[in-house]
Amino acid sequence: FSTKSSKVVPVQPRGIALGLDATGTLFDEDLEVQEVQFQEGDVLLSFTDGIIEAKNTSGDEFGMERLARTIRRNAESSAQVIIDKVLAEVDGFCGDAEQADDITLVVTKFIGTS
């Protein structure tokens, strides 16, 4: 999330998940490096698809739009609060629906340099 533009900016370089290549050869061949400039207040989310693919009892997915709205509403908060809010939103959306995938979320909040 860019505080300057107030927009969610997807960063999704090509590659494979960590731990899926025992020798590292495929990982090295498939890895795409992208550089991103962060500014004070920006938020970086790293998450598994279990968040956006979490389903409610009607079979609807949580989706990127709901995730983006949650980030926009809470971008000024700490990384821990953002994690808590996202997980609460996913939990509230899903209700009693059983989930088929793991949910992993890492939030990094850029506080600038001094």
Side-chain angles (χ1 to χ4, degrees):
F1 177 82
S2 168
T3 55
K4 184 176 181 177
S5 68
S6 295
K7 293 183 180 181
V8 173
V9 181
V11 178
Q12 194 169 3
R14 189 183 75 248
I16 64 171
L18 293 175
L20 294 182
D21 179 23
T23 65
T25 306
L26 181 59
F27 182 84
D28 289 340
E29 291 173 0
D30 200 38
L31 182 67
E32 176 186 5
V33 176
Q34 288 184 355
E35 288 189 26
V36 178
Q37 296 289 323
F38 292 100
Q39 297 180 10
E40 185 175 342
D42 286 355
V43 178
L44 174 66
L45 267 73
S46 300
F47 58 92
T48 58
D49 60 358
I51 290 181
I52 58 174
E53 294 176 0
K55 295 182 180 180
N56 63 16
T57 54
S58 299
D60 300 320
E61 290 187 348
F62 186 74
M64 281 297 296
E65 277 306 311
R66 283 186 182 85
L67 179 58
R69 277 196 304 269
T70 303
I71 299 310
R72 277 189 212 98
R73 282 195 308 263
N74 296 286
E76 298 298 320
S77 301
S78 70
Q80 184 61 58
V81 168
I82 294 169
I83 289 171
D84 294 342
K85 295 290 186 176
V86 168
L87 295 178
E89 288 283 331
V90 171
D91 190 51
F93 174 81
C94 294
D96 293 331
E98 188 173 329
Q99 298 307 303
D101 205 351
D102 69 294
I103 290 180
T104 303
L105 172 65
V106 176
V107 174
T108 304
K109 180 82 181 244
F110 292 87
I111 57 173
T113 59
S114 26

